[in-house]
Amino acid sequence: SCRNDLIALVEGDPAHPPGLYIVDHKTASRFDELTLTCWENEGGIIQQVDVFEAALPDHPALQSYGPLQGVIVNLIGKQKSPALYRAYVHPTAFQVDQHRRDLPVWRAQRDLAVALGVFPRARAGCATRFGKCDHWDHCRGDEA
């Protein structure tokens, strides 16, 4: 849906530039390195920046507070002892531009699959730490 949980004005944090940030709240079953450090290249985060910049280029808040500085990801851990973690993400202009150029390619691939009635299987996600994909039997050939 790419809706924003919160838009915040951050000031007084010497580790990050002051200004507007999109704040996204997420949950995680565990706090491993991947969960804590890989937000810089996450498509949903880059998409939020792209949509914000495209939809609000002349918004009065941008005139008052300056350009969007990035995204704050607030992670709530679902461990036995709940944990909190905050990641500041600053997608580059290159990443946002590349994302914009990639979207039509993905749309075209989807449209081609619909036109041909053939949907290629992406088998990398067949079995993960969350178990088997819902389509496991179909892709394995147990169903027609």
Side-chain angles (χ1 to χ4, degrees), residues 105-121:
V105 175
W106 291 115
R107 276 190 220 105
Q109 287 181 342
R110 183 197 61 217
D111 293 346
L112 177 63
V114 169
L116 295 175
V118 176
F119 298 89
R121 290 162 175 84

Side-chain angles (χ1 to χ4, degrees), residues 11-90:
E11 298 176 311
D13 184 342
H16 302 282
L20 292 176
Y21 285 82
I22 297 169
V23 180
D24 199 3
H25 300 92
K26 305 243 183 235
T27 58
S29 58
R30 59 185 174 178
F31 280 4
D32 57 11
E33 181 184 1
L34 180 68
T35 303
L36 298 178
T37 64
C38 290
W39 296 102
E40 289 288 336
N41 206 32
E42 205 276 321
I45 299 296
I46 297 170
Q47 177 73 24
Q48 287 187 43
V49 172
D50 182 27
V51 169
F52 185 91
E53 290 177 349
L56 303 171
D58 300 320
H59 193 279
L62 297 176
Q63 304 305 316
S64 299
Y65 304 115
L68 183 68
Q69 295 296 330
V71 179
I72 298 170
V73 180
N74 285 329
L75 290 168
I76 301 169
K78 298 189 272 185
Q79 301 90 335
K80 287 183 181 180
S81 297
L84 301 173
Y85 181 81
R86 176 170 285 166
Y88 282 80
V89 185
H90 304 280

